[in-house]
Amino acid sequence: MKFESFKADFEIKNNYLKLALVVSSILFSVSTFLIATQRRYFLYSGGEIFKDAPLSVEVCRLGFIGITNGEPNPYVITEGIMDLIKKDPFLIQIDEVVALKTINEGQCKIIFKSNHELLAFKITLDKDDSYPFIYKLAQIDELAPRDEL
């Protein structure tokens, strides 16, 4: 093979590679632009997205821990419960809160350890837009170990 024919063959193949590089760069740029500017629509068919209200869980936690520590917060506890606590304090030592979740709208369940024993309470909340945090603790019911919700 002569050098001139090799050089010509090499230049032709090199031109094909340059053309392929330019075409692939253009396709990549166009596809990147289309992906970046597309509109995305999501349909969610699993019910309410915000069914578990984090605010009600936090009000349950603050209200219950405030009552058991002897420092109730009137912003998260109803007046009726505040009057009962003033007459008869509800003091329990909480070592660790194991679980805290909503049961239904306006109800929470708290499970905690107290003196190496598991205790569970169902907390009912009162909802009103005039309250500072929308919810206030309205009722506390102790759950026996065999009770189920």
Side-chain angles (χ1 to χ4, degrees):
M1 177 180 260
K2 293 185 177 181
F3 178 71
E4 289 81 22
S5 64
F6 174 73
K7 183 179 174 187
D9 189 36
F10 186 74
E11 287 176 351
I12 290 171
K13 288 182 181 178
N14 206 10
N15 287 338
Y16 288 140
L17 290 174
K18 286 179 185 176
L19 181 63
L21 181 64
V22 169
V23 169
S24 65
S25 295
I26 290 172
L27 288 175
F28 176 74
S29 299
V30 169
S31 64
T32 302
F33 175 75
L34 290 175
I35 289 171
T37 59
Q38 76 179 354
R39 292 185 180 168
R40 295 182 183 124
Y41 297 101
F42 297 101
L43 297 176
Y44 178 75
S45 62
E48 294 180 39
I49 294 175
F50 302 109
K51 188 173 184 180
D52 188 23
L55 178 62
S56 65
V57 171
E58 187 64 17
V59 169
C60 283
R61 187 186 69 78
L62 287 174
F64 189 79
I65 290 176
I67 289 171
T68 59
N69 288 342
E71 301 170 357
N73 186 343
Y75 293 114
V76 293
I77 300 171
T78 59
E79 293 297 321
I81 299 292
M82 291 292 288
D83 293 339
L84 288 173
I85 293 170
K86 288 177 184 173
K87 292 176 187 174
D88 186 24
F90 181 72
L91 301 174
I92 297 177
Q93 178 186 352
I94 297 178
D95 297 332
E96 176 186 0
V97 175
V98 178
L100 176 60
K101 66 177 191 170
T102 59
I103 300 169
N104 297 320
E105 186 177 352
Q107 290 185 333
C108 299
K109 182 177 184 179
I110 185 168
I111 303 170
F112 60 93
K113 286 183 182 179
S114 176
N115 296 327
H116 306 291
E117 185 179 337
L118 277 177
L119 297 174
F121 289 88
K122 182 173 85 171
I123 301 168
T124 304
L125 299 173
D126 188 21
K127 182 178 181 181
D128 192 353
D129 288 335
S130 66
Y131 295 152
F133 300 110
I134 300 173
Y135 294 103
K136 281 192 174 186
L137 189 144
Q139 181 178 346
I140 300 173
D141 297 315
E142 184 174 7
L143 301 174
R146 64 184 179 281
D147 286 350
E148 294 193 24
L149 300 172

